[in-house]
Amino acid sequence: MEKYYIVDSSILPESFDKVIQARQLLESGKVKQVSEAVKVVGISRGTFYKYKDLVFLPEENMMDRKAVISLMLENRRGILSKVLTTISETSASVLTINQNIPIHNIASIVISLDLSHFTGTIDNLLGKIRLVDGASNVQLVSIE
């Protein structure tokens, strides 16, 4: 996910639109399971899972988005604070932090972010977090 484009849907595969339709069916509660949604719109489960977090319709407020990232942190004083400072420098806001007890001196962390005032790209943010000494396995879990 290095770049985002806004393109006319006529040049995209039909499956992208169907992935969005399936996601809308699930979000609205009209169907309960992915298998039902993909059957209604006529795509495979594999296609849905491959693109579900990558294709979106433009919304009135595109900046009102959220992201979830996961990472591993060494159990040393101040590392989480450095990660949070890095996030703050991009004007993203932390919504939640879930931290597990460190095992073998490494803690698993999941952070959800509000990207309403976010500056930059998710890839750049993840790259900056990876540069924090003691942070590893930094990944984007989802974005909406």
Side-chain angles (χ1 to χ4, degrees):
M1 288 188 5
E2 293 199 18
K3 295 182 182 180
Y4 296 94
Y5 299 99
I6 296 177
V7 298
D8 188 298
S9 63
S10 66
I11 67 167
L12 297 173
E14 185 180 341
S15 59
F16 286 7
D17 190 43
K18 290 183 177 189
V19 167
I20 292 169
Q21 290 172 18
R23 192 173 53 232
Q24 289 172 335
L25 288 170
L26 289 162
E27 289 171 358
S28 70
K30 291 180 181 175
V31 298
K32 301 290 183 210
Q33 297 179 347
V34 171
S35 57
E36 291 177 82
V38 298
K39 186 175 181 181
V40 169
V41 300
I43 57 172
S44 69
R45 287 173 49 97
T47 298
F48 177 79
Y49 285 113
K50 183 175 182 179
Y51 297 114
K52 73 179 181 71
D53 295 324
L54 300 173
V55 295
F56 304 94
L57 288 176
E59 299 170 4
E60 283 185 27
N61 189 359
M62 282 289 285
M63 296 309 292
D64 190 23
R65 299 187 66 182
K66 294 171 183 53
V68 177
I69 61 172
S70 69
L71 57 148
M72 304 297 270
L73 294 182
E74 292 178 12
N75 188 26
R76 290 189 285 136
R77 184 180 324 210
I79 296 177
L80 180 58
S81 177
K82 289 177 185 177
V83 169
L84 296 176
T85 298
T86 301
I87 291 169
S88 176
E89 290 170 352
T90 67
S91 298
S93 297
V94 174
L95 296 171
T96 63
I97 302 172
N98 295 312
Q99 178 176 347
N100 291 328
I101 295 171
I103 298 174
H104 302 294
N105 237 10
I106 302 288
S108 169
I109 314 286
V110 177
I111 303 174
S112 62
L113 303 171
D114 177 356
L115 304 178
S116 297
H117 303 287
F118 181 64
T119 57
T121 68
I122 289 291
D123 285 330
N124 286 342
L125 174 59
L126 297 178
K128 289 177 183 179
I129 293 171
R130 287 181 185 113
L131 294 176
V132 173
D133 184 37
S136 63
N137 201 21
V138 180
Q139 298 177 10
L140 176 66
V141 174
S142 69
I143 189 166
E144 69 172 32

